[in-house]
Amino acid sequence: MNLLPPENKKIAKKQGFRSLKLVNVDLDQPLGDQPPFGADYGRLDNGLFYYVRSNSKPRMRAALALAVKVGSVLEEEDERGVAHIVEHLAFSATTKYTNHDIIKFLESIGSEFGPCQNASTSSDETVYELFVPIDKPELLSQAMSILAEFSTEVRISKDDLEKERGPVMEEYRGDRNASGRMQDATWVLMMEGSKYAERLPIGLEKVISTVSAETAKQFYKRWYHLSNMAVIAVGDFSDTQSVVELIKTHFGHKSSTLEPPLIPTYSVPSHDEPHFSCIVESEAAGSEVMIGYKMPVRELKTIRDYRDLLVESMFIQALNQRFFKISCRKNPPFFSCSAFADILVDPLKACTMTSSCKEKGTIKALESMLIEIARVRLHGFSEREISIVRAELMSRIESAYLERDQMQSTNLRDKYLRHFLRGEPVIGIEHKAQLHKTLLPYISTSDLSKYAEKLQTSCSCVIKTVEPRASAVADDLKNVVSRISALEKEKNILPWDEDQIPEEIVSSKPNPGYIVQQFEYSNIGATELFLSNGMRACYKCTEFLADQVTLAGFSYGGLSELPESNYFSCSMGPTIAEEIGVYGYRPSVLVDMLAGKRVAVDNTIGTYMRMFYADCSPSDLETALQLIYQLFTTSVKPGDEDVKIVMQRAKEAVRAQERDPYTVFENRVQELTYGKSYFFRPVRISDLRKVDPPQACEYFNNCFKDPSTFTAVIVGNIDPTIAVPLILQYLAGIPKAPEPVLHFTRHDLKDPPLTFPITIIRETVYSPMVEAQCSVQLCFPTELKSESMVEEVHFVEFLSKLLETKILQVLRFKHGQIYTVGVSEFLGGNKPSSSGVFRGHISISFSCDPEIASKLVDLTLNEILRLQEEGPSEEDVSAILEIEQRAHENGLEENYCWLGRILNSYQSKVYSGDLGASFKIQDEARTQVRKSLTPSTTQLALQRILPFPCKKQYTAVILMPRRSRLQSLTSFFQSTQNHAKILAGVAGLTVLVLSLRRHSR
């Protein structure tokens, strides 16, 4: 079949695919290659599969994985949670590595334990991932050795299991919040009637607490067979064959004791009638509606299958555009709504739509969602909608094609994981781009309407509502389905009404400005321009990604300059402006104007400054700059309906915060930490009633009015001969303000109204909870001296990482009581002037069993005090230095990192007009701190930066479940020996109270 479309010069020019040939395709021909594209692929004699590929992004790094076709669905009733427990045990102890030596090794080479060095267990699979440096030959070999240990050598003893029960239990408890409960309920509803519904990967509390080591060991031995595994290695290898030999060295001699087990398959029953569920969740963030359409997974084998996948992508993209436009209407049926399609388990895929709406608005939201799907079946999408979606998909594939030699190793690793686990073909990006160019022009609106036929409520559909207070019941949902079905049958649903879309973002292009001064900074590789309207622009050309340009601009003067009487109204300015449309167009119109362009823009007003951001492709830099020009030259004017929608959403958000125990907890933490400052106190409904929308919008408009106060930084794959004229037209072309507007230097700024505690504060926040949760946060105030401030900031970063590592070792690896810990620093307690001190705090947070929270606070304080009094070990310091160095090396290859470094150089207290000098001072400060970091200097820094001893000044806040009166009485009775006397006493007291009450009446 010949699918060559006629050459469209306009599209070809716009999409940049002129050099890419279209192809003649047979829709029934195979899609992927064997072996998988780009990989050295094979299988060892013991059954293990391997995939190896050389890839230079990032340099001298390797992304590794061990994939195992074993998940929670294989568990028996007494094993529910064992697959996940085995995954945990793998990192704690194997035959070769004991007592979390694997984690210690990874940290010693700069591979921090966490998202990149971790594992995941799902219903059908378990995947272990490592991301390691390979600049030394032995590192790759040792990382491969660790994966080999995971495959057959996980040590599952009674002691190992007891140490890991606490972290697994804490992970389980962490998922028992409102979000976790709703996700579990959705899963059970979607999988109803199958074993998958009864095998959530996290397992059962009873099994986690009591399962024997022998049971876990038998599960591991039974299912972890080498024939069910694959090793994937993608990295900056000089050659793939040497890596294959390394795999053979570490895995080739291994064998599984049993015959390869037959992995059973489990089906999910289909159903002709929709299934309904109305969930009342008292801690829910808001009201939601979900519609799920289940369908069998279709293997991706032929080009026809790939075309069907493109049809699905176009349908979902077009439907989401409609949902977004509906959410922007007056009195919309929902605040937001989106659709997506994904494989849930091996045999089941789902197209799912979810919306959030106002309280008691679920019926209206469901009605709108069903009507839109029916409208597509009846009338299809318009040609303009299809062309917009086609342009979006073309833009994405163009970006991937341009960056085909710059793909991250982790992304390539994931492709081979899907090939092994799901049989998904690996397609070279050149072939994929050719297929897009060839197939997309021939996908029509009728194709998308046919896809909508799969989304009938009679096709294994499930409908779920979530509400904080019950208003909808199943019969209400059934009635909506019947009503919309009748409307569709009668063809009583009107076609989609489209908006008028302007042709150009900037209707009249500005006269270009000019360069007043220009400076080159060789140590940064950046050029600084002082423009005729007073704005300063700095650009740095990079080749990290061929299709990325990122930029940001800032100006001093933010919310800290507002009096308390105006603070809350003005802080609502960006929220109101976003609803109305910040760049001169309503959001529903702007989304169509930007179709086919890879550009995203945003703005924010912070404590000390106002900022704008943009991210785009080089070809869309002009569009990004046009939007920034519009930000400065258009005004936001609030209409009654716009404000009504914003305030409705704000009220729903406040009510959700009041229901959420964690928000109540966080609000109290901030209240204590910052001295009850109005900057941090929780928003109340009464505050919303005082908002003055015209004042809020006037403030927002003034924040982006005077270009002379702004500095813009642009980093990415830019050509100065193209970029500089655009900068002059759209940035230098922004008109000067007639008089200075919000014109501040950093020395003019006010310190924010906050004070840090000077004593010990320990407080427990009790909150009603559906299921018991507990969270802990400790805060230590800190002050950095101005004369050594640049070095001290780096010390704070090192100390934060040290504390995080050591507390994790104590609370998780030694005592087995937490899952993870976070340490963060805040140094914005005063204005960013060049004098004075840097005030802030270092905070430590973790969740745990409510019964031992106070004990863990004391253990944390003890460990910090020990570090202050004894200092860390050489190994501790070496590991922290290595982690920081590896992160620094990765950052040097990222545009976002360079954008941040340049912005920090401008905003640094040491900046005095010379960007290069400020950058150099910060760079040298980092180097100096690294050179000086020893156990003794780290110990002194802990004494200097934290209160010393740490137990003399800190805030510790614990979130605990509030018990009902009945629970408290029951607990009291259970803890008392003489139950009979107490019961008699309570009975007598009750009679007395009732008698007195009758007497008083």
Side-chain angles (χ1 to χ4, degrees), residues 581-642:
V582 176
Y583 308 100
Y585 304 97
R586 296 196 66 84
S588 58
V589 173
L590 188 62
V591 69
D592 281 357
M593 297 179 71
L594 298 179
K597 298 179 183 293
R598 203 176 71 76
V599 56
V601 291
D602 200 4
N603 55 81
T604 185
I605 302 172
T607 303
Y608 305 112
M609 60 186 72
R610 300 97 68 191
M611 296 193 72
F612 58 77
Y613 312 88
D615 191 54
C616 62
S617 66
S619 59
D620 292 324
L621 177 60
E622 181 172 10
T623 302
L625 294 175
Q626 285 178 334
L627 291 169
I628 293 169
Y629 174 83
Q630 290 287 102
L631 174 66
F632 280 83
T633 57
T634 60
S635 294
V636 175
K637 299 177 182 178
D640 291 340
E641 287 296 329
D642 298 317

Side-chain angles (χ1 to χ4, degrees), residues 499-514:
D499 295 324
Q500 293 297 315
I501 306 299
E503 290 292 326
E504 299 290 340
I505 291 174
V506 177
S507 56
S508 179
K509 291 190 176 181
N511 295 321
Y514 55 89

Side-chain angles (χ1 to χ4, degrees), residues 147-204:
L147 293 182
E149 290 285 293
F150 292 162
S151 68
T152 59
E153 306 298 330
V154 175
R155 194 184 72 191
I156 305 177
S157 69
K158 182 179 179 180
D159 289 343
D160 297 324
L161 182 56
E162 290 306 317
K163 287 180 182 178
E164 206 58 33
R165 284 192 205 275
V168 176
M169 194 64 231
E170 194 48 47
E171 191 175 354
Y172 171 89
R173 186 183 291 107
D175 285 340
R176 303 313 300 156
N177 54 19
S179 176
R181 288 191 295 272
M182 289 187 290
Q183 287 177 6
D184 289 353
T186 301
W187 180 264
V188 172
L189 183 63
M190 296 289 277
M191 302 297 163
E192 189 175 359
S194 75
K195 190 177 179 183
Y196 286 106
E198 302 169 353
R199 293 296 183 270
L200 290 166
I202 194 64
L204 298 178

Side-chain angles (χ1 to χ4, degrees), residues 660-673:
D660 178 29
Y662 282 95
T663 304
V664 172
F665 167 68
E666 189 59 38
N667 287 340
R668 183 56 178 162
V669 169
Q670 292 192 353
E671 193 173 36
L672 292 172
T673 304

Side-chain angles (χ1 to χ4, degrees), residues 665-666 669 673 775-779 824 841 843-846 955-958:
F665 167 68
E666 189 59 38
V669 169
T673 304
S775 189
V776 175
Q777 186 156 333
L778 288 89
C779 290
S824 60
H841 63 75
S843 65
I844 301 164
S845 58
F846 54 84
T955 301
V957 188
I958 303 174

Side-chain angles (χ1 to χ4, degrees), residues 78 82 156-158 161 165 207 210-217:
D78 64 339
V82 168
I156 305 177
S157 69
K158 182 179 179 180
L161 182 56
R165 284 192 205 275
V207 174
T210 64
V211 69
S212 69
E214 186 59 32
T215 300
K217 186 182 297 183

Side-chain angles (χ1 to χ4, degrees), residues 554 897-911 915 918 922:
F554 75 93
C897 178
W898 279 101
L899 178 71
R901 294 182 79 192
I902 295 172
L903 286 170
N904 286 340
S905 297
Y906 275 121
Q907 297 165 8
S908 169
K909 287 190 174 187
V910 301
Y911 177 74
L915 176 64
S918 176
Q922 294 196 83

Side-chain angles (χ1 to χ4, degrees), residues 375-639:
R375 196 193 313 274
V376 175
R377 280 194 291 267
L378 288 174
H379 305 291
F381 292 103
S382 69
E383 286 301 325
R384 190 178 82 181
E385 287 177 298
I386 295 296
S387 66
I388 286 172
V389 170
R390 189 180 289 122
E392 287 284 351
L393 293 181
M394 282 287 195
S395 176
R396 291 180 199 171
I397 197 66
E398 178 193 21
S399 180
Y401 178 75
L402 292 174
E403 294 176 351
R404 60 192 180 279
D405 298 325
Q406 300 166 316
M407 187 173 289
Q408 294 289 315
S409 292
T410 49
N411 293 340
L412 289 169
R413 176 189 63 188
D414 292 345
K415 290 180 183 291
Y416 296 120
L417 279 170
R418 291 194 294 272
H419 179 273
F420 174 70
L421 295 169
R422 299 180 182 175
E424 188 176 303
V426 180
I427 313 169
I429 189 61
E430 292 87 350
H431 185 45
K432 195 172 181 179
Q434 285 178 317
L435 288 176
H436 273 67
K437 281 193 67 178
T438 302
L439 297 173
L440 279 174
Y442 283 96
I443 296 175
S444 65
T445 183
S446 63
D447 291 315
L448 272 62
S449 296
K450 288 176 185 175
Y451 182 86
E453 294 294 335
K454 299 180 182 181
L455 310 185
Q456 302 271 9
T457 52
S458 58
C459 300
S460 295
C461 175
V462 298
I463 298 175
K464 181 194 77 172
T465 62
V466 177
E467 297 178 294
R469 284 179 285 273
S471 68
V473 295
D475 284 343
D476 297 326
L477 309 185
K478 292 177 184 177
N479 292 337
V480 172
V481 169
S482 298
R483 188 163 62 251
I484 304 306
S485 296
L487 288 174
E488 182 178 1
K489 189 174 182 180
E490 297 162 2
K491 298 186 177 180
N492 201 11
I493 297 175
L494 297 174
W496 177 255
D497 186 20
E498 294 190 298
D499 295 324
Q500 293 297 315
I501 306 299
E503 290 292 326
E504 299 290 340
I505 291 174
V506 177
S507 56
S508 179
K509 291 190 176 181
N511 295 321
Y514 55 89
I515 299 170
V516 177
Q517 282 183 300
Q518 178 171 328
F519 298 95
E520 304 290 337
Y521 298 106
S522 59
N523 62 327
I524 311 175
T527 301
E528 184 180 56
L529 309 175
F530 286 84
L531 306 178
S532 52
N533 62 354
M535 183 179 281
R536 177 172 51 189
C538 175
Y539 65 85
K540 176 179 173 63
C541 306
T542 72
E543 295 181 353
F544 304 133
L545 289 173
D547 202 39
Q548 185 185 68
V549 177
T550 181
L551 65 94
F554 75 93
S555 175
Y556 286 115
L559 298 176
S560 65
E561 305 312 301
L562 295 169
E564 184 174 358
S565 57
N566 295 344
Y567 170 78
F568 191 74
S569 273
C570 292
S571 67
M572 286 288 291
T575 306
I576 298 173
E578 183 180 358
E579 180 67 36
I580 298 170
V582 176
Y583 308 100
Y585 304 97
R586 296 196 66 84
S588 58
V589 173
L590 188 62
V591 69
D592 281 357
M593 297 179 71
L594 298 179
K597 298 179 183 293
R598 203 176 71 76
V599 56
V601 291
D602 200 4
N603 55 81
T604 185
I605 302 172
T607 303
Y608 305 112
M609 60 186 72
R610 300 97 68 191
M611 296 193 72
F612 58 77
Y613 312 88
D615 191 54
C616 62
S617 66
S619 59
D620 292 324
L621 177 60
E622 181 172 10
T623 302
L625 294 175
Q626 285 178 334
L627 291 169
I628 293 169
Y629 174 83
Q630 290 287 102
L631 174 66
F632 280 83
T633 57
T634 60
S635 294
V636 175
K637 299 177 182 178

